[in-house]
Amino acid sequence: MTPNIIYSAEVDAARAAGTPLVALESTIITHGMPWPQNVDTARTVEAEVRANGATPATMAVIDGDLHVGLTEVQLVALAKASNVTKLSRADLAACIATGGTGATTVAATMIAARLAGIEVFATGGVGGVHRGAEASFDVSADLYELAQTPVTVVCAGAKAILDLPKTLEVLETLGVPVIAYGQDALPAFWSRNAGLPAPLRMDSPADIATSHRMRAALGLPGGQLVTNPIPEADEISRDVISPVIEQALVEAATKGIAAKAVTPFLLDRIFDLTEGRSLVSNIALVLNNARLAAAIARALRTI
Ligand code: PSU
Ligand code: MN
């Protein structure tokens, strides 16, 4: 049995030519941003990847087919739909087997990227260890995926809706390199500094690409997590965002939000509570990550 993988025309051409590719997720479109900014961002991010010398491959499952690269029509349909399933590692096979439609998280996008031979993936934020995980056991499958699937994921750090020290501990335990790009501190999504040192620092796409290949050469499974600080002009300081996050977390607890619903609920509340400012920053950092991911994908072609 083989899954039906459908490559978009541009991804197909890039694969044939051996030119750089960058994977993109779709949960950020369906569960991470509101319409219509979600589809605008998806288009702009794809354009940014192209402008930086690589081909974008946005992943999704549509009617049981695994799509690597979406057409404009597919992108719009996904962005407009209100009840698309959020697909992580646990959900992917079931969705494909039953002819379903769903958006891929970081974990599922990494799986799709590996199947398509794509080594680099750009997104906004990854899942992690949620605050209160000692009671809820809520640890994102993204972390375990990074431990086993050989894709370098470029994000802007983890959101402070998560417990960042615990997230770093789990990544260390799992043997996942966490690399801050161009600075010593771990970036925290909307802000450039989480107040924690990053385990590793690299200052060039070439070093990140070489490390990616070195892991394979050493027989190590899994990928790398590159944390790229949001551009200064788009940053929201920790003082401003922290109380907003606290309020969103209290509301989630009061409403009994659990499991897959937690991250989308918090993102939506933070958007409302910041009157959309969180989204402006979110878009800027995704574009910044698309540029770095394209540069890493280009560097991988020269090694
Ligand atoms: N963090 C964000 N924005 C997002 C997500 C996480 O800042 O859109 C999405 C990603 O798709 C990520 C998923 O893989 O949420 C993690 O969900 P969970 O915590 O349920 O594993
Ligand atoms: Mn979770």
Side-chain angles (χ1 to χ4, degrees):
M1 179 168 296
T2 49
N4 199 23
I5 303 181
I6 299 181
Y7 296 97
S8 67
E10 68 174 330
V11 170
D12 210 27
R15 279 163 52 86
T19 51
L21 281 147
V22 171
L24 300 168
E25 63 156 306
S26 47
T27 294
I28 191 174
I29 303 171
T30 56
H31 294 72
M33 291 184 184
W35 170 271
Q37 289 96 334
N38 60 352
V39 74
D40 289 343
T41 305
R43 286 194 195 106
T44 316
V45 171
E46 289 197 349
E48 197 71 17
V49 170
R50 290 185 197 104
N52 285 274
T55 301
T58 304
M59 310 294 186
V61 177
I62 302 173
D63 298 331
D65 296 324
L66 176 57
H67 286 261
V68 178
L70 301 178
T71 64
E72 169 68 15
V73 171
Q74 289 163 341
L75 200 63
V76 171
L78 206 61
K80 268 190 178 159
S82 56
N83 55 355
V84 176
T85 311
K86 174 178 162 186
L87 304 175
S88 191
R89 163 173 275 259
D91 317 288
L92 193 58
C95 184
I96 293 172
T98 58
T101 293
T104 55
T105 61
V106 167
T109 303
M110 291 177 74
I111 294 168
R114 196 224 330 236
L115 286 168
I118 302 174
E119 297 170 292
V120 187
F121 162 21
T123 187
V126 287
V129 180
H130 278 265
R131 296 205 207 169
E134 59 274 30
S136 69
F137 279 51
D138 189 347
V139 180
S140 176
D142 292 350
L143 303 185
Y144 298 91
E145 204 61 53
L146 282 160
Q148 57 187 311
T149 301
V151 175
T152 287
V153 179
V154 181
C155 70
K159 287 203 165 114
I161 59 175
L162 302 171
D163 185 320
L164 301 182
K166 286 196 186 76
T167 300
L168 285 182
E169 288 291 351
V170 170
L171 287 166
E172 184 192 59
T173 302
L174 294 171
V176 177
V178 178
I179 302 160
Y181 183 63
Q183 66 178 31
D184 295 327
L186 184 76
F189 202 84
W190 293 294
S191 29
R192 289 170 63 83
N193 188 336
L196 294 168
L200 298 165
R201 169 185 176 153
M202 288 187 190
D203 294 310
S204 73
D207 283 351
I208 297 168
T210 306
S211 293
H212 179 98
R213 285 285 158 75
M214 190 58 73
R215 284 182 64 85
L218 291 169
L220 299 173
Q224 311 186 103
L225 186 62
V226 176
T227 61
N228 186 25
I230 182 172
E232 245 169 79
D234 304 299
E235 181 178 31
I236 306 179
S237 76
R238 272 195 290 162
D239 301 346
V240 172
I241 203 73
S242 291
V244 170
I245 293 169
E246 296 298 339
Q247 184 177 338
L249 286 165
V250 168
E251 288 181 24
T254 309
K255 290 193 151 99
I257 309 289
K260 294 163 76 131
V262 173
T263 301
F265 176 86
L266 293 173
L267 297 182
D268 188 52
R269 286 304 293 142
I270 292 166
F271 170 77
D272 286 340
L273 292 168
T274 60
E275 289 162 355
R277 183 163 170 217
S278 65
L279 183 59
V280 175
S281 295
N282 198 340
I283 294 168
L285 65 85
V286 179
L287 290 174
N288 191 44
N289 296 343
R291 285 188 284 275
L292 179 56
I296 297 167
R298 293 200 316 270
L300 279 164
R301 297 291 143 174
T302 67
I303 295 169

